[in-house]
Every structure is written in structure tokens, then in C-alpha cells.
Amino acid sequence: MDEFKIEDNISYKNLFKPYGYINGEWIDLPKGKSFDIYNPSTNKIIAKMPEMGIDETKYAIESANIAFDKWKKKTAKERCLLLRKWYNLVLENIDDLSVIMTLENGKPLKESKAEIIYASSFIDWFSEEGKRTYGRSIPATQIDKRIITIKQPVGVSALITPWNFPAAMITRKVAPALAAGCSVIIKPAEQTPLSASALIYLAQKAGIPKGVINLLVANNPIPIGKELCENDTVRKISFTGSTEVGKILIKDSANSVKKVSMELGGNAPLIVFNDADVDIAVKETLASKYRNSGQTCVCANRIFVQDGIYKKYSEALAKKVADFKVGDGFEHTSDIGPLIDNSGLKKVERHLDDAIAKGAKVLIGGKQPSLGGLYYEPTVLTEVAKNMVLFKEETFGPLAPLFRFKDVDEVINMANNTNYGLAGYIFTKDLNTAWKVSEELQFGMVGINSGILSTEVAPFGGVKESGIGREGAVEGMDEYMEIKYLCFGNIM
Ligand code: NAP
């Protein structure tokens, strides 16, 4: 395999840090203890990163613990000012950060830029919210008592993140943690550690003190994960990734009874009722389904279309899908990049083969384009049914299966017939339908005539096996704080 060379005149080189980061220092390891990072668009190696393990994890925990003592004693305003410097630096470096993200994740450059803006919004929002972590004054039941609550940082927090949003899944955790006064240890996905190290380099430049942010990188996450979960000093685990791994982390952190936040997998229903505006439903389905090549936890996984609109909607959707251009993320014309790796590609193929064997029809796509590699054509399937694998599992690829339904009760039953409960979407002009179905859906978030719902100001998260806790908004701040109740007695 050819090795990717970083040319001297390329500006992102300054942010290109193929290292871990502990106690304010970049850490490399001896040759042989490294793993390769690939560009999924070309399958070329772009970097070698140190394979960190238990020793580095212990060192990072110790450093984070020492730093926590000083960081929590800063005023909220002092922390705010440092976070704002970081926020400004992220935006100043948006072009270089986007290049790094497209290099390691493959998503089109325009999507990488949109993600950096989204990622920075968490730093912006939580830098201010840190000043508003108010407690309460509670009227007591005895005349000589006074009751108040205060909020305090939970402590050293371990943050484990996936590859599909290499920057935003990090800032959505780090920003509230730091604003609350916690120190953190980040373990990014093995495919996308370079976006993480670039962001941390900018945090270092902003003046975030040593030990407050630490970065562990590895191809084998198991020893790091075990130590982070079992070590008593770590008081919080915040994880975004698959439900399967989330369950392991919950079990492993049970002995030390840590506070946990889990942002796990999804199996989102997108429901189009007969009275929906077809143009809006199609536009929003495209955004929900095909963004990041369908590799998002909130992307529409099962599209339910009512009988009366099925033909019109499916034809309009396929017509728009035909306009998508699949290609390298660095080509300006690309709308759909590659899948992240071979197992991602195989999963899409397995779902498609199973559906076709059970009677589904390909309306458009359904194969790899001539580019080959990790690319897959955006696909629309009709005549899909509940006995197909894609009804149960998250496809995590550009495959849109269109189920048919007759009435509201039938579609609510089908939509809720899953262990997941992250996001759901409804398209209708009827307020009554929108309200009733929103209430009945067993999902943490519902988009009504909207296929996109992520924002820093709203609580993001799921129910059932899609997770515990919320990220973003006031609720996202509370994930990094403990409530302490103070009772003053004998006040005469
Ligand atoms: P994953 O395999 O669960 O990995 C996520 C992270 O966990 C990676 O950093 C991974 O490291 C690490 N990890 C894996 N096994 C571990 C272990 N035993 N101990 C400690 N860490 C471990 O998920 P993924 O494939 O990267 O991401 C896709 C999943 O994330 C999908 O299910 C998607 O729905 C979900 N997701 C959810 C949200 C949300 O907000 N709810 C957002 C985005 C994605 P390695 O990379 O080294 O394996």
C-alpha cells in the first residue's frame, strides 16, 4: 500500500499530530508499538499512531486527577474565557480541521466543514452555560432550618467516542465537562484519532492547562476501556458508540459505581403520512438518510410510507437520489463519500442481499459504483418487510428501505417494534397526527417535518437500548455535575 505524504506547503500539517497527549505533552512510543490510519477514499496510509495501553491509561488518569484539583477551583468565568479562546481557534482553523477529517473519515469536505461548525457550537454554548450551573433554595419544613443545593463537578471523566463524527462527538462531551470543572481523558475511535489530536492541539494553544485534557489512542481499545471503567479515580464514563460496547462499559464500571452517559445505536423510523408535503418529506429524508453516507446514529433506518402516497414519494425520492454524486471527499462535486471500512461495506451488502432474497425490489442503486473501494451507491428499496434484517439492525450505510403501512396504529406498532429508541421522524400536515404520534413513539427525539434535529441547544439522547442521559443543552451540563444538598440547622 502506498504511503500518503504530507507535503511541506500544506497548511494542515501544523495540526497534524499523530500522537497521544498526556499531562500537557505529546506522546509517541517506540517503533513497532504503532497502528496505521487510512484514508477510506483511497485506502492509503495517512499516519502511524502510538498504540497506547494500560500504562499510558494509568498515567493519564493520574495526570487528570492532579489537574482536576486546580481546574475545579477556577471560577466559571475563568474557564469560560479559556473555552472561548479554544472556540475561536477552532473556527480560525476550520479549513485545516476539515481537511484532516476528510482524510481520515472520507466524508465530503463540505460535510467536514459543517461538522466543525457543529462541533465548535458546543464549545461556544457550554463556555457560557458553565456560568449558570445554579443550585436551588428550598423552603424548609422546620422553622430553624435552611436548605440549599449546589452543583459540583463530578471529577475525572473518561470520554470514549466513535468515528462517524470525529470532532462533534468529542466537543459535545469535552465542552460541558470542562465548563463544569471536570478534567477529561479522551479515547477516540481507532479510525479517526487525528481530528481529536488536532482539536486538542488547539485547546493547548488556547491555554487549557496541562492534565485537564488527555488523549489516549489505540487500535485495541479493550485494556484502555477496562482501566478507565475499573479505576476508582475516574468518576464518570461518557460513551458514544454501539449498544454492544455500551453494555460492556456499563458492566465494567458497575463495581466503582460511576456516573455513566451512554449515547448508543439507533434504528430510526421515518414516517410519511398520506397528507405530507412530498417535497418537504423527500428533502428531509435525503438529509436524514444520506448524510455521512448514512453513517449516523439518528439516520432514518426504516422509512414507513402510507399507502396513498407510497408511489409518489418513492418516485420523487429515487429521482433526487439519482442526482447524488459518489466520490472522493476531496472532489468538490462529491455528495456521498466512502463507507468507513470493509466491515461497514459488508454490513450494507448483507442487509441488501437479505432483503432481496426475501422479496425487496431495488428502485435505484443496489451495488458498488465503478469506483469500487469502499464506495456504495445511494440505494432505495421498495417492497420491504418486517422479516428482513434491515428492520431489526442499524444498516449504517446509504440504504433506504421503504415499508408500506395503512393506518396510524399499525405504523406506531411497527416503529416501536425495536430495542432501540434514539430518533424518529414524522411527516404530516395534521397537527393532531403529529402530536399523537410524537407522544406514542418510544424514542428520545422526534423530528416533525424535519429530518435533522441535532443542535447544541437541545437535549440529544435516547431511551431503551439507545442510551442513558442527554448531551447538549442544560441537561448535557448536568451529566458532569453532582448535586450537593446543604442543610443549615438551628438558625434562630
Ligand atoms: P463502537 O465500535 O462501539 O466504538 C465506539 C468507541 O468505543 C471507539 O472509540 C472504540 O474504539 C471504543 N471501543 C470499542 N470497544 C471497546 C471496549 N471494549 N472498551 C472501550 N472502548 C471500546 O462504535 P462505532 O462503530 O465506532 O460507532 C458506530 C456506533 O455509534 C453506531 O451504533 C452508532 O449508532 C453509534 N453512535 C451513537 C451516537 C449517539 O449519539 N447516540 C452518535 C454517533 C454514533 P476502537 O475504535 O478502537 O474500536
Side-chain angles (χ1 to χ4, degrees):
M1 239 165 271
D2 297 335
E3 205 151 322
F4 180 85
K5 296 269 187 292
I6 306 162
E7 305 299 339
D8 284 335
N9 60 352
I10 293 178
S11 66
Y12 70 82
K13 192 180 162 196
N14 291 333
L15 299 185
F16 204 83
K17 300 276 171 211
Y19 318 112
Y21 183 73
I22 304 177
N23 202 26
E25 284 177 351
W26 294 101
I27 311 265
D28 206 354
L29 293 174
K31 275 212 170 351
K33 284 192 86 179
S34 68
F35 65 103
D36 298 331
I37 313 299
Y38 292 87
N39 175 350
S41 290
T42 60
N43 204 25
K44 286 183 180 168
I45 295 171
I46 52 171
K48 288 188 182 299
M49 299 287 277
E51 176 73 29
M52 295 181 148
I54 271 208
D55 291 347
E56 290 78 21
T57 310
K58 286 187 171 154
Y59 177 37
I61 294 171
E62 196 186 302
S63 306
N65 198 31
I66 293 168
F68 173 56
D69 224 33
K70 286 196 187 145
W71 183 247
K72 72 179 178 196
K73 288 178 188 149
K74 283 194 184 293
T75 63
K77 184 162 181 171
E78 285 172 317
R79 289 196 292 263
C80 165
L81 292 174
L82 288 169
L83 284 168
R84 290 212 70 75
K85 277 194 193 160
W86 187 24
Y87 164 68
N88 289 332
L89 282 171
V90 169
L91 288 185
E92 278 166 30
N93 288 277
I94 185 168
D95 289 340
D96 292 347
L97 288 167
S98 308
V99 166
I100 290 172
M101 189 183 297
T102 293
L103 257 184
E104 64 180 358
N105 171 285
K107 66 175 74 177
L109 206 50
K110 58 191 171 196
E111 283 196 30
S112 293
K113 279 195 181 158
E115 183 181 339
I116 297 298
I117 291 169
Y118 174 52
S120 73
S121 73
F122 291 103
I123 310 177
D124 174 35
W125 200 84
F126 283 107
S127 72
E128 290 297 329
E129 190 59 16
K131 298 180 200 162
R132 290 185 277 273
T133 55
Y134 309 131
R136 285 190 297 153
S137 163
I138 300 169
T141 53
Q142 283 172 257
I143 197 71
D144 65 335
K145 291 267 170 74
R146 299 292 182 272
I147 296 175
I148 63 160
T149 63
I150 58 170
K151 290 189 180 173
Q152 293 183 304
V154 63
V156 173
S157 302
L159 318 176
I160 304 176
T161 56
W163 48 264
N164 62 343
F165 289 96
M169 295 304 97
I170 289 179
T171 56
R172 200 164 75 168
K173 297 180 191 302
V174 175
L178 262 55
C182 299
S183 56
V184 302
I185 299 152
I186 305 166
K187 209 306 277 167
E190 67 196 51
Q191 296 93 336
T192 57
L194 292 161
S195 294
S197 60
L199 282 170
I200 289 170
Y201 171 69
L202 295 174
Q204 183 191 33
K205 274 185 83 175
I208 307 277
K210 69 173 188 180
V212 172
I213 302 185
N214 302 277
L215 174 72
L216 297 170
V217 291
N219 189 33
N220 176 8
I222 293 171
I224 295 179
K226 262 209 152 329
E227 183 62 29
L228 291 174
C229 288
E230 290 176 358
N231 194 306
D232 285 339
T233 304
V234 177
R235 294 316 312 151
K236 164 91 192 180
I237 301 279
S238 178
F239 172 72
T240 298
S242 61
T243 296
E244 189 190 357
V245 172
K247 288 179 183 177
I248 297 173
L249 301 178
I250 294 171
K251 277 188 199 141
D252 287 352
S253 52
N255 266 347
S256 51
V257 194
K258 293 189 203 321
K259 198 170 163 89
V260 294
S261 300
M262 295 283 146
E263 294 285 350
L264 308 177
N267 183 0
L270 185 151
I271 306 171
V272 185
F273 288 97
N274 280 341
D275 69 338
D277 180 313
V278 173
D279 291 342
I280 291 177
V282 166
K283 174 169 81 87
E284 298 292 322
T285 305
L286 295 174
S288 167
K289 177 70 251 182
Y290 297 103
R291 193 167 52 111
N292 206 5
S293 304
Q295 303 171 111
T296 81
C297 54
V298 287
C299 84
N301 200 53
R302 298 166 299 154
I303 301 175
F304 299 109
V305 190
Q306 203 163 8
D307 268 338
I309 201 172
Y310 192 92
K311 189 165 183 290
K312 198 170 169 194
Y313 169 86
S314 52
E315 284 171 359
L317 183 68
K319 196 159 172 260
K320 289 284 181 193
V321 167
D323 291 339
F324 277 140
K325 175 128 178 24
V326 180
D328 189 309
F330 286 111
E331 280 169 24
H332 293 305
T333 49
S334 297
D335 302 303
I336 309 259
L339 290 155
I340 190 71
D341 55 23
N342 204 40
S343 70
L345 176 66
K346 291 282 161 259
K347 190 172 190 191
V348 175
E349 288 176 340
R350 179 165 64 79
H351 281 198
L352 185 101
D353 292 347
D354 170 80
I356 287 176
K358 291 173 182 162
K361 301 272 174 286
V362 176
L363 193 56
I364 190 159
K367 59 182 189 327
Q368 284 205 262
S370 52
L371 281 169
L374 297 172
Y375 295 99
Y376 202 84
E377 286 183 356
T379 298
V380 179
L381 290 182
T382 58
E383 313 310 324
V384 286
K386 281 197 294 189
N387 64 341
M388 298 173 183
V389 177
L390 50 71
F391 184 84
K392 278 204 193 84
E393 290 180 15
E394 209 181 9
T395 302
F396 239 56
L399 182 60
L402 309 189
F403 297 80
R404 217 181 252 276
F405 73 93
K406 286 195 172 55
D407 60 42
V408 177
D409 291 336
E410 181 194 8
V411 79
I412 290 172
N413 277 332
M414 284 205 288
N416 287 338
N417 186 0
T418 169
N419 290 338
Y420 293 105
L422 192 58
Y425 307 89
I426 308 166
F427 290 87
T428 177
K429 288 187 197 138
D430 185 301
L431 193 55
N432 192 58
T433 307
W435 192 258
K436 178 183 154 72
V437 178
S438 298
E439 282 184 350
E440 295 286 335
L441 285 178
Q442 296 161 359
F443 293 82
M445 300 172 280
V446 181
I448 299 124
N449 295 322
S450 173
I452 299 281
L453 27 72
S454 308
T455 156
E456 74 277 20
V457 301
F460 187 105
V463 300
K464 293 161 76 176
E465 293 192 17
S466 285
I468 304 171
R470 292 293 179 270
E471 289 192 327
V474 186
E475 291 83 354
M477 191 84 206
D478 284 341
E479 300 286 326
Y480 295 92
M481 308 216 81
E482 295 285 14
I483 295 171
K484 189 177 278 175
Y485 149 45
L486 309 182
C487 179
F488 295 79
N490 290 293
I491 298 189
M492 300 299 173

